Amino acid sequence: LLNPIVKAVDRKLLPFLEKKFPNFKQAKSVSRSVGICISIVILATIIFTLFNMMIPELYKSIRDMIMNVPSQMNRFIRELSEMNTENSTIGNIVESVMKEATTFVQNWMRTDLLGRINDFMTVGVLNFMREIMNILIGLIVSVYVLFSKEKFSKQSKKITYAIFKPSNANMILHLTIKSNEIFGGFIIGKIIDSAIIGVLCFAGLSILNMPYAMLVSVIVGVTNVIPFFGPYIGAIPSAILILLAEPKMGIYFIIFIIALQQFDGNVLGPKILGDSTGLSAFWVVFSILIGGGLFGVPGMILGVPTFAVVYYIVGMLVNNKLEKKKLPVKTDAYDEYSYVESDGTYVHADKNIFKEKER
């Protein structure tokens, strides 16, 4: 996450220092130091601002939810009972299901949820200190890695050429660079995209004066990290939560979130992510389902870039085999009218000629 900022500072500052101070031997170190300091300051500012904005609002939203949701569900059941004047079978079934759901939610909030909160408060201080230590250690390690990343890269390259044959070593290095490009572009781009969507969601809900604005925005922003299914995972429980509080606002929220996701899918997402994975929509869904089935939520997030790397490797191997056989590598060349002769010659017949041969 810090590396793109450091690289951006190096691109601007290092040429300036080398031009202004041609005899200054430490220009690279100074540029790198400035880049790391700027990146850490930016990261700390973003984290502090988000926490300062989110924590009070998030606490208020969760408190209001615990206090109000049971009564809102009871009110919804009463209104449903008043509407169900004819005592239809479907109406009775829906009313019975809602009563059971209300009882379950109330019991969960009073027992399980409160118990979890108490457990968290009991060990919260220890866990908080442990997380602070992990953050500090991670920050220190990141500084050393950013200072010496070129040296580590050269050492890794040296070891690779020492262990493997030149052709295999070149292939490993190529795939490493490509994997870094796919994973880096996708993960960083998805985090930025989801953060922007979360902020836009909070701004929109605040303007519309909807309940649980911060809680819903956090849910929508966090789940948006999951490709394709993320918007639905975040929007459905959020819509139910708002519908219970104010049914009319719930309808407005559904319309707003659909418009927001259309903006993300057609404008914001492509601008930030571009074609970082090179996968079609089908393979994106396929990789999410496989990754989620095997590894849960982390698999849903990392499944797309992982499958993109596998897809790239398979494509490269297939193209290499085709080139050796002197066959075209473009997929469009293998339509229903193309074929390969027994001697290995590729033939692409015209549609009319193909039909005449069939006759």
Side-chain angles (χ1 to χ4, degrees), residues 17-273:
L17 292 175
E18 290 177 342
K19 183 179 179 181
K20 291 291 183 180
F21 309 99
N23 297 323
F24 185 49
K25 297 181 179 179
Q26 301 298 322
K28 189 174 182 180
S29 298
V30 171
S31 175
R32 183 59 51 86
S33 301
V34 172
I36 292 173
C37 290
I38 291 174
S39 65
I40 292 174
V41 169
I42 292 173
L43 181 68
T45 303
I46 292 172
I47 291 174
F48 176 78
T49 304
L50 287 175
F51 270 75
N52 193 42
M53 290 172 56
M54 285 172 53
I55 296 299
E57 288 289 331
L58 204 56
Y59 172 77
K60 181 178 179 296
S61 296
I62 294 172
R63 184 194 62 189
D64 292 345
M65 183 188 70
I66 294 174
M67 297 293 292
N68 298 330
V69 165
S71 62
Q72 289 165 356
M73 293 186 74
N74 288 326
R75 186 193 67 189
F76 183 76
I77 291 174
R78 284 196 303 271
E79 292 176 355
L80 189 65
S81 300
E82 292 173 2
M83 292 172 60
N84 185 30
T85 54
E86 298 179 358
N87 291 323
S88 64
T89 304
I90 296 176
N92 291 330
I93 291 173
V94 171
E95 185 178 346
S96 175
V97 169
M98 286 301 301
K99 285 181 179 178
E100 290 184 10
T102 302
T103 304
F104 171 78
V105 171
Q106 288 176 341
N107 292 334
W108 177 75
M109 284 186 170
R110 289 169 183 169
T111 57
D112 193 28
L113 182 60
L114 289 176
R116 288 177 182 273
I117 291 173
N118 290 332
D119 291 340
F120 175 77
M121 293 302 293
T122 304
V123 297
V125 175
L126 183 61
N127 288 338
F128 179 75
M129 294 303 296
R130 188 182 294 118
E131 291 302 322
I132 291 295
M133 286 298 298
N134 288 338
I135 291 170
L136 289 174
I137 292 170
L139 194 61
I140 293 169
V141 171
S142 70
V143 170
Y144 280 103
V145 171
L146 288 169
F147 255 116
S148 307
K149 59 179 182 174
E150 288 83 3
K151 183 178 181 181
F152 293 149
S153 176
K154 293 173 184 177
Q155 290 173 337
S156 301
K157 196 171 184 179
K158 177 182 175 182
I159 293 170
T160 304
Y161 278 118
I163 296 175
F164 300 99
K165 295 178 180 179
S167 58
N168 293 337
N170 289 331
M171 180 61 67
I172 291 170
L173 293 172
H174 174 71
L175 292 177
T176 302
I177 294 169
K178 189 65 180 179
S179 300
N180 177 63
E181 179 185 320
I182 292 173
F183 270 86
F186 179 82
I187 293 173
I188 293 174
K190 202 63 184 170
I191 290 173
I192 295 171
D193 174 60
S194 300
I196 294 173
I197 289 298
V199 171
L200 291 176
C201 183
F202 178 72
L205 297 186
S206 299
I207 292 170
L208 295 172
N209 199 26
M210 290 193 184
Y212 313 120
M214 179 56 73
L215 179 62
V216 169
S217 300
V218 171
I219 293 172
V220 169
V222 170
T223 55
N224 196 69
V225 177
I226 301 172
F228 194 79
F229 295 108
Y232 304 102
I233 295 172
I236 291 172
S238 301
I240 293 172
L241 198 62
I242 295 175
L243 275 167
L244 288 172
E246 295 182 43
K248 187 169 70 173
M249 285 296 184
I251 302 299
Y252 293 158
F253 171 76
I254 293 171
I255 297 171
F256 170 76
I257 207 70
I258 290 173
L260 183 64
Q261 293 304 332
Q262 288 299 314
F263 168 74
D264 181 34
N266 297 310
V267 180
L268 184 64
K271 284 285 185 183
I272 295 175
L273 294 171

